[in-house]
C-alpha cells in the first residue's frame, strides 16, 4: 500500500514569507526540528488531534508564515491554534502582529500567522495545533491512521531532524504480526511501545522529500467510516486490481495486433505479391518441341 490506507491524506505546508524584498537573495530557512504529535485519537467518533512543532533557524528577515491543509479524505478541521515560543497568537484576520487567520481556500484550509515581532537572523519555535474529524479509515481487518507529517513541498529548505509520534488509546496499539506500521518518503526508524508509535527520520530530509506514517490498529465494531471512504476505496480497488488487468489486456491486444499485422502482410505478399511459379524449365533442348510457331509455343 502506498500513500492511501489510513486516516487521510493531509499535506501541511509551512511557508515563511519575506518582510523586505530587497534582501530576498540572502534569506534562508533551516528546520532544525520538525516534529508531529498525533494524540487524543477517538476510534469510535473518528477524530484526533495534530500538533506540528517547528524549531527554525532564519537567515534574513521574516514577519509571517502560513500553512495549508488540504481538505481531502476528511470531514472537517477545527480548533486551530498557533503559538510562538509557547505564547498563543490571537485568532483574527487583521494582519496584526501576534495574530493568525484561518480561511477556506481552493487549496484547503489556509492558516496565516503573524509573528509578535519580525525575526531577523534568529531561531524561533512555532506550534500549530488542530483537530481532524472523519480521517480514520475503517476496515474489519484493522482500522487505519495515515498522516503526511511533512509534505514534499517545503520550498527547497532542508529539515535537520523529524519525529512523528502517534499516541493511541488503551487497547488500540498495533498488534505484533497483525497490524503493520509503515513510513513513506524519507527513510524512518519505527518503534512501537504498547500504544505509542514513534517514527524518526534516519537522516536529514531534503527540500523535496516527504515523511509520512501509516498505523493500523484493532478494528472497533462501533466505528463508522467517513462519507468519503466508500468512493475512495472503490477508486483504490480499481487502481490496484482492475486497472493493472486492463493495462495488461491492452498490452496483449497491442502485441496481437502488431503480430497479426506482420502475419497478414506476409500472407498478402505470399498470395498476391510474389512472382508466380512457372514450373521446371529445361536448360537445353536437342530438337524443336513441335511444329508450332514460336509465338504459339511460348
Amino acid at each position: 500500500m502506498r500513500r492511501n490506507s489510513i486516516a487521510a491524506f493531509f499535506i501541511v505546508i509551512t511557508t515563511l514569507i519575506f518582510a523586505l524584498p530587497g534582501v530576498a537573495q540572502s534569506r534562508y530557512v533551516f528546520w532544525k526540528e520538525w516534529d508531529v504529535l498525533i494524540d487524543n485519537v477517538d476510534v469510535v467518533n473518528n477524530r484526533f488531534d495534530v500538533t506540528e512543532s517547528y524549531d527554525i533557524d532564519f537567515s534574513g528577515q521574516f514577519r509571517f508564515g502560513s500553512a495549508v491543509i488540504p481538505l481531502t479524505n476528511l470531514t472537517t478541521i477545527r480548533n486551530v491554534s498557533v503559538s510562538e515560543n509557547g505564547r498563543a497568537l490571537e485568532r483574527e484576520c487583521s494582519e496584526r502582529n501576534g495574530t493568525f487567520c484561518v480561511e477556506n481556500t481552493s487549496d484547503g484550509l489556509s492558516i496565516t500567522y503573524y509573528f509578535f515581532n519580525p525575526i531577523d537572523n534568529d531561531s524561533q519555535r512555532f506550534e500549530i495545533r488542530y483537530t481532524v474529524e472523519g480521517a480514520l479509515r475503517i476496515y474489519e481487518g484493522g482500522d487505519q491512521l495515515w498522516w503526511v507529517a511533512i509534505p514534499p513541498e517545503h520550498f527547497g529548505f532542508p529539515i535537520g531532524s523529524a519525529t512523528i509520534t502517534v499516541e493511541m488509546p488503551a487497547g488500540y496499539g498495533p498488534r505484533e504480526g497483525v497490524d503493520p506500521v509503515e513510513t513513506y518518503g524519507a527513510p524512518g526508524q519505527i518503534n512501537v511501545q504498547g500504544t505509542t508509535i514513534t517514527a524518526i527520520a534516519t537522516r536529514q530530509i531534503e527540500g523535496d522529500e516527504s515523511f509520512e506514517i501509516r498505523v493500523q490498529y484493532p478494528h472497533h465494531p462501533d466505528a463508522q467510516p467517513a462519507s468519503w471512504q466508500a468512493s475512495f476505496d472503490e477508486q483504490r480497488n480499481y487502481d490496484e486490481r482492475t486497472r493493472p488487468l486492463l493495462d495488461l489486456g491492452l498490452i496483449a491486444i497491442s502485441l496481437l495486433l502488431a503480430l497479426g499485422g506482420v502475419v497478414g502482410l506476409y500472407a498478402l505478399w505470399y498470395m498476391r505479391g510474389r512472382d508466380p511459379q512457372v514450373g521446371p524449365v529445361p536448360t537445353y533442348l536437342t530438337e524443336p518441341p513441335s511444329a508450332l510457331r514460336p509465338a504459339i509455343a511460348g
Side-chain angles (χ1 to χ4, degrees), residues 97-139:
N97 289 357
T99 66
F100 71 96
C101 181
V102 179
E103 299 175 300
N104 285 310
T105 68
S106 58
D107 295 325
L109 189 71
S110 174
I111 306 169
T112 306
Y113 49 99
Y114 297 85
F115 310 152
F116 286 105
N117 296 289
I119 300 172
D120 193 354
N121 296 317
D122 201 354
S123 296
Q124 207 78 308
R125 188 167 185 85
F126 297 92
E127 182 177 284
I128 300 177
R129 185 174 177 86
Y130 49 89
T131 298
V132 180
E133 295 187 349
L136 300 176
R137 305 180 189 188
I138 311 303
Y139 304 101

Side-chain angles (χ1 to χ4, degrees), residues 8-13 67-77 103-111 130 132-133 135 147-148 151-152:
F9 260 10
F10 314 120
I11 300 180
V12 180
I13 303 176
V68 178
I69 311 170
L71 299 173
T72 54
N73 294 348
L74 59 86
T75 303
T76 189
I77 293 177
E103 299 175 300
N104 285 310
T105 68
S106 58
D107 295 325
L109 189 71
S110 174
I111 306 169
Y130 49 89
V132 180
E133 295 187 349
W147 195 258
V148 182

Side-chain angles (χ1 to χ4, degrees), residues 20-38:
L20 299 177
V23 298
Q25 296 298 326
S26 63
R27 283 172 299 177
Y28 184 78
V29 172
F30 177 70
W31 278 272
K32 293 188 293 185
E33 296 178 5
W34 184 324
D35 298 330
V36 177
L37 171 65
I38 301 172

